[in-house]
Amino acid sequence: MLSQVMQDAINDQINNEMFSSYSYLSMAAWCEHKQFTGCAHWMRLQSDEERVHAMRLHDFQIARDGRVLFQSIPQPEVDYESIVDVFEKALAQEQLVTQQIDGLYELAIKEKAFAALVELEWFITEQVEEEKTAREIVHKFNMVKDDPASLLDLDNALAQRAPEQADAN
Ligand code: MG
């Protein structure tokens, strides 16, 4: 059984992951509007992944006999300056989620929630990958700048992203 403070923190993180999912969906809608259909596809899959993260914590909470209490999801940002701005915001969001996960891990140590520590290790590893991927894409968009042919190539490359295998989550 998880302590109340631990249960509350997990519910907060479920909300953070749902907000992250919602933000990526907003980024996808903006990309779609600007005809960056490959980027939109990438963002939609990213949004799906964030929902899986939320459900992973949801299932853990229930498995530990805790209560899942949903909160309101804040409105995400809806307007972006440019395509590179979208991915810079995505990177910033992942850096924020890393801090949130680290905070949750620190709390789990304090609360001696050992099963939560094991569960959260998966998230810590995942955040390393999430930040790395976003950073690489930001770098590529900064390299191509406004060159239309290169932007089209990059959009096409991002269109190739495949959904993650269910057991990889
Ligand atoms: Mg996540």
Side-chain angles (χ1 to χ4, degrees):
M1 181 85 182
L2 294 162
S3 66
Q4 193 57 51
V5 64
M6 200 62 216
Q7 284 188 41
D8 292 348
I10 290 171
N11 281 328
D12 287 348
Q13 192 57 31
I14 290 172
N15 186 263
N16 291 336
E17 300 288 346
M18 290 304 286
F19 174 72
S20 190
S21 176
Y22 206 28
S23 292
Y24 280 122
L25 210 49
S26 182
M27 291 175 192
W30 188 92
C31 292
E32 202 93 55
H33 177 67
K34 297 291 179 184
Q35 309 299 325
F36 285 107
T37 53
C39 294
H41 166 82
W42 192 95
M43 286 294 175
R44 276 199 200 203
L45 288 182
Q46 190 64 28
S47 173
D48 291 346
E49 260 194 31
E50 299 306 336
R51 190 178 175 282
V52 171
H53 295 169
M55 290 311 292
R56 209 183 154 106
L57 290 165
H58 168 283
D59 292 348
F60 176 77
Q61 180 89 296
I62 286 173
R64 297 305 295 154
D65 205 21
R67 278 213 62 201
V68 171
L69 300 174
F70 291 123
Q71 305 161 13
S72 305
I73 303 168
Q75 186 187 17
E77 197 161 335
V78 291
D79 230 341
Y80 301 91
E81 282 167 29
S82 61
I83 192 69
V84 67
D85 180 45
V86 173
F87 282 92
E88 277 169 354
K89 298 264 163 68
L91 173 59
Q93 182 167 283
E94 290 306 333
Q95 288 166 335
L96 176 66
V97 171
T98 298
Q99 286 177 24
Q100 292 163 347
I101 296 290
D102 287 354
L104 197 52
Y105 194 83
E106 200 178 347
L107 182 69
I109 292 172
K110 205 170 133 246
E111 293 291 305
K112 296 187 167 54
F114 301 113
L117 288 175
V118 175
E119 179 65 28
L120 288 169
E121 271 177 25
W122 182 90
F123 282 88
I124 290 172
T125 308
E126 175 70 10
Q127 283 314 116
V128 173
E129 201 51 44
E130 297 280 48
E131 281 192 38
K132 177 175 181 279
T133 305
R135 199 177 297 114
E136 282 169 1
I137 299 173
V138 167
H139 182 74
K140 284 174 185 167
F141 274 110
N142 278 326
M143 257 194 316
V144 308
K145 298 210 171 13
D146 294 326
D147 178 55
S150 304
L151 280 173
L152 269 177
D153 280 350
L154 197 41
D155 191 57
N156 282 332
L158 293 170
Q160 304 309 312
R161 179 174 180 178
E164 241 178 41
Q165 298 299 317
D167 57 350
N169 294 310

